[in-house]
Amino acid sequence: MATSLFKQVAAYQGHKGGVYGLAVNTLQQKIYTAGSDSFIVEWDLDGTDGKLIARANGIVYRLSYINAGHLLLAGNSLGGVHVIDTKNNAEIRLLKPFEKEIFCIAWFQETETCAVASADGQVIFYNRQFEPLAHIRISNAKIRSMVYHAGTQLYYAGTAEGKIIAINASRYKVVQEVQAHRPGWSVNCMCVSADNSMLISGGRDAMLNSFDLTTGLTPVLKIPAHNYAIYSVEPSPNKKYLLTASRDKTVKVWDADTMHVIQRLEPVGDKAHSYSINCAAWIDGRHLVCAGDAREIYIFDCAE
C-alpha cells in the first residue's frame, strides 16, 4: 500500500459547529461547507479565510452545487432548501417542500433535474426553474442519498432501512427495491463507478458494496471498508481513484479498478483525530477535501 501519494496541504478553520454539508464548484475550484452552526461558507484553495455567503434556517445537512447558474442548494433541518446565487452571494429563493429534515439534495446534469428527499421517505423532483415535476413517497424511512444512471435511465435512492430503490426517470415510478445493506442500517452514500457499470454504496454498517447495473442491481462486492459508518463515496474526475469518508475519522483512497485501498488519510488539525469525518469530495483529479465534527476543512494534494 502506498503511503505518500496524497498529502495534506491545508486545514481551514471558521465553523462554530460540526460540518455536514460539502459541495464543490469544480470549474472555479471553490469549496462550500455548512453544518450545525447554520453558516454557509465559501473557501478557495489559496488558503485565504472562508467567506460567509449565507446563513441558513436551522442546521444544514446537505449541499449541492449547480455549475450552470452558479447556484448552491442547501437543505436544512426545518424541511427547507436555500437557493443561493454564489456569483452575487445572495439567497434568491427559499423552497419549503417538507416539514422534516432534508438529508439529500442531488442535481442531475444529465436530466437537468433536482431531487430533494425528506426524512420521512418523500422525494420531490424539480426542473431547472425549481418547478415541481413529481412528488412521490418511496419509503417510510429517511432517504440519505440519490444518484442517476444514464444507461438504465433510473434514479437510485438509498434509505435508512438499508435499501436501494430504483425510480424510473420518465414516469417517476418505483421499479425495483433491494436490501443493499444490513436491515435498519442506512445507505448513507452512493455513486456510479468510473466505468459506468456498477452502483457503489456506503452504509452505516461500514460496508462498501457494489451492484451490477447491467443486470439489475446484482450484488458484486461486499467490502468491510471502515470501522464505523461510511458517509461519502465518490470517484475521482480522472477515474483512477475512489474515496470514502467515515465516522472512524479517516478518508480512504481506493484504486477504482481493483477496489484495493491505496492510502488511508488521517487529517491533521486541532481536533482531527477525535471526531468523525462527515463528508468528502474531489475538487479535481489532484485535490480532495473533507470535513466533519472537528469543524475544520482539510485539503489533500496528490503527488502524481
Side-chain angles (χ1 to χ4, degrees):
M1 181 188 298
T3 58
S4 58
L5 185 61
F6 286 85
K7 181 180 180 181
Q8 183 175 323
V9 294
Y12 302 154
Q13 297 179 334
H15 279 285
K16 305 300 181 184
V19 177
Y20 305 131
L22 171 67
V24 177
N25 173 348
T26 56
L27 298 180
Q28 297 182 335
Q29 294 192 324
K30 292 185 181 294
I31 303 158
Y32 299 95
T33 57
S36 62
D37 59 8
S38 303
F39 296 163
I40 301 174
V41 182
E42 179 185 273
W43 310 85
D44 288 307
L45 277 179
D46 60 11
T48 55
D49 290 340
K51 178 170 63 177
L52 180 66
I53 63 170
R55 200 179 289 245
N57 300 331
I59 299 168
V60 176
Y61 289 115
R62 190 57 59 98
L63 295 177
S64 183
Y65 190 80
I66 305 174
N67 280 317
H70 310 282
L71 298 179
L72 181 69
L73 310 180
N76 68 34
S77 57
L78 305 176
V81 178
H82 302 268
V83 182
I84 301 162
D85 178 353
T86 61
K87 202 169 184 179
N88 298 302
N89 296 333
E91 182 177 303
I92 60 174
R93 194 163 180 183
L94 176 62
L95 306 175
K96 191 65 171 68
F98 302 117
E99 297 299 322
K100 294 193 174 184
E101 300 96 329
I102 292 173
F103 292 107
C104 176
I105 300 178
W107 168 255
F108 307 111
Q109 184 60 44
E110 301 94 332
T111 60
E112 292 198 331
T113 303
C114 175
V116 179
S118 75
D120 61 357
Q122 300 180 71
V123 184
I124 298 180
F125 292 92
Y126 293 93
N127 64 16
R128 194 165 175 172
Q129 290 72 43
F130 299 104
E131 300 165 334
L133 300 171
H135 183 171
I136 60 175
R137 179 183 290 277
I138 62 171
S139 173
N140 291 318
K142 295 176 187 174
I143 300 169
R144 302 300 299 260
S145 55
M146 289 189 68
V147 297
Y148 174 74
H149 183 245
T152 58
Q153 296 187 351
L154 296 174
Y155 298 106
Y156 296 93
T159 78
E161 301 165 311
K163 295 179 179 180
I164 293 177
I165 298 173
I167 304 163
N168 181 281
S170 59
R171 295 181 289 112
Y172 303 105
K173 300 291 186 182
V174 172
V175 296
Q176 188 179 7
E177 182 176 305
V178 299
Q179 189 68 53
H181 287 260
R182 179 178 170 185
W185 293 64
S186 57
V187 179
N188 291 332
C189 50
M190 294 186 294
C191 71
V192 176
S193 63
D195 65 4
N196 220 34
S197 67
M198 300 286 179
L199 182 65
I200 302 171
S201 62
R204 183 173 161 240
D205 57 5
M207 298 294 292
L208 187 66
N209 296 342
S210 66
F211 305 84
D212 190 335
L213 288 167
T214 66
T215 59
L217 295 180
T218 304
V220 178
L221 293 174
K222 292 189 176 184
I223 303 171
H226 285 269
N227 293 327
Y228 295 103
I230 301 171
Y231 291 136
S232 293
V233 59
E234 183 177 318
S236 63
N238 60 17
K239 300 183 180 182
K240 293 177 65 175
Y241 309 115
L242 183 81
L243 69 74
T244 54
S246 171
R247 191 184 174 195
D248 68 8
K249 311 161 195 171
T250 68
V251 173
K252 288 185 178 181
V253 179
W254 305 71
D255 183 299
D257 292 326
T258 66
M259 291 300 289
H260 294 156
V261 175
I262 295 173
Q263 191 172 349
R264 183 175 183 264
L265 309 179
E266 296 185 58
V268 177
D270 286 350
K271 300 177 180 179
H273 293 287
S274 303
Y275 293 95
S276 168
I277 303 234
N278 299 328
C279 45
W282 295 97
I283 302 170
D284 51 32
R286 177 173 173 176
H287 298 91
L288 66 85
V289 56
C290 63
D293 289 348
R295 310 177 184 182
E296 296 177 321
I297 318 301
Y298 308 106
I299 308 294
F300 288 83
D301 177 42
C302 182
E304 282 189 337

